[in-house]
Amino acid sequence: MLSLTAKKVLEASGGAELWQNSKYLEAVVSVKGLAFTLKRRPIFEQAKIVMEIGRPYSRLTPIGKNKNITGVLDGKDVRLEDAGGRIIAERKDARKYFPFGRRLFYWDDLDMSYFANYAFWNYFTFPSLLSNEEIIWKEKEAGILEAIFPESIPTHSKIQEFYIDMVSGKLIKHHYTVDIMSKLAKVTNMVTKNDEVNGMNYPSARLVTPRSGSGKALKKPIMIDITVHSFKMTNEVVFPCPH
C-alpha cells in the first residue's frame, strides 16, 4: 500500500494511472559539473534520452564526443550503437568493473553509458518506482521516504532517501551514495527548479553536491548540474533494431 507521501508524489506527477499506462519517456538534457572533469568526460549538451518506464532500459545520444553514438543501458548491461543501430561495443554486467583501476581516473563511453543512463532512469521514473514491488519503501516520517533497492535495479546505492514537500508533492532533495565512484561519495541531489507539462510536475533542474558527515548538503563543489529542456511520456517510440 502506498504511503501518504508516495500518494502526494504521484498526485503531483500526473497520477498513478498515467505512469501505469505510459510505456516510454523522452527528454532532452544538458549536464555538466566536476564529476565530468574528474572522469575526463565531455559534458552533455542537448543530449536526447529515450527510455522504457517499466524496466531499466535507456538510450542517451550522444554519449561522448561522437554525435552519432548512442549509449544504451539494458538491465545490467551496456552497449554503444551507431546511428543505424549497429552495436559497436558492449559490456556485460557493467557495474562489476567499478570503481577500481583506470576508472578511478577515467571513464570511457561504456562507463558513462552505464552511469548516466541508470541515473536518469532512476530520476525520471521516480513516481513509477514508488509502485515497484521489488523496492522496499518506508515512510520514515511525513515527507521522507527511504528506499531499499534490490540488486536487479541499477542505481546509485542500495539505501536512498527522498525528501518531499507535503503541500505540493514535489521532490525537494534526494540523498544517496554514488557507489560506483566511491563508498565515501555521499551526496545530495537538490531540485532547484520544477516545470509542468499536461498537468504533470517534474524536476527540470538539479544540483548534486557532497554531503557533510552530519548529512547537510554542501554548496560546493558542484559535482553534477542538470538542466532538463524537455520532458514527455508516450506510448509510441521506435527504437533502432541492434545488429
Side-chain angles (χ1 to χ4, degrees), residues 103-165:
R103 288 173 180 82
L104 292 171
F105 312 101
Y106 166 73
W107 281 359
D108 64 15
D109 283 354
L110 286 168
D111 296 324
M112 183 54 84
S113 296
Y114 182 72
F115 171 72
N117 276 304
Y118 89 62
F120 274 115
W121 185 82
N122 278 259
Y123 302 160
F124 287 163
T125 68
F126 170 53
S128 176
L129 294 179
L130 293 168
S131 302
N132 190 312
E133 295 182 352
E134 290 186 85
I135 302 171
I136 300 172
W137 289 99
K138 177 183 178 182
E139 188 174 41
K140 299 182 72 172
E141 59 182 82
I144 303 179
L145 294 173
E146 179 186 81
I148 302 177
F149 285 83
E151 293 294 327
S152 59
I153 295 179
T155 190
H156 288 303
S157 55
K158 184 177 180 66
I159 300 176
Q160 303 177 31
E161 286 186 343
F162 300 81
Y163 294 76
I164 311 299
D165 182 320

Side-chain angles (χ1 to χ4, degrees), residues 8 11 24 49 71-72 107-108 128 135 137 184 196 202 215 227:
K8 290 291 292 186
E11 181 182 339
Y24 308 108
I49 298 176
V72 183
W107 281 359
D108 64 15
S128 176
I135 302 171
W137 289 99
L184 300 177
E196 188 175 294
Y202 66 95
T227 299

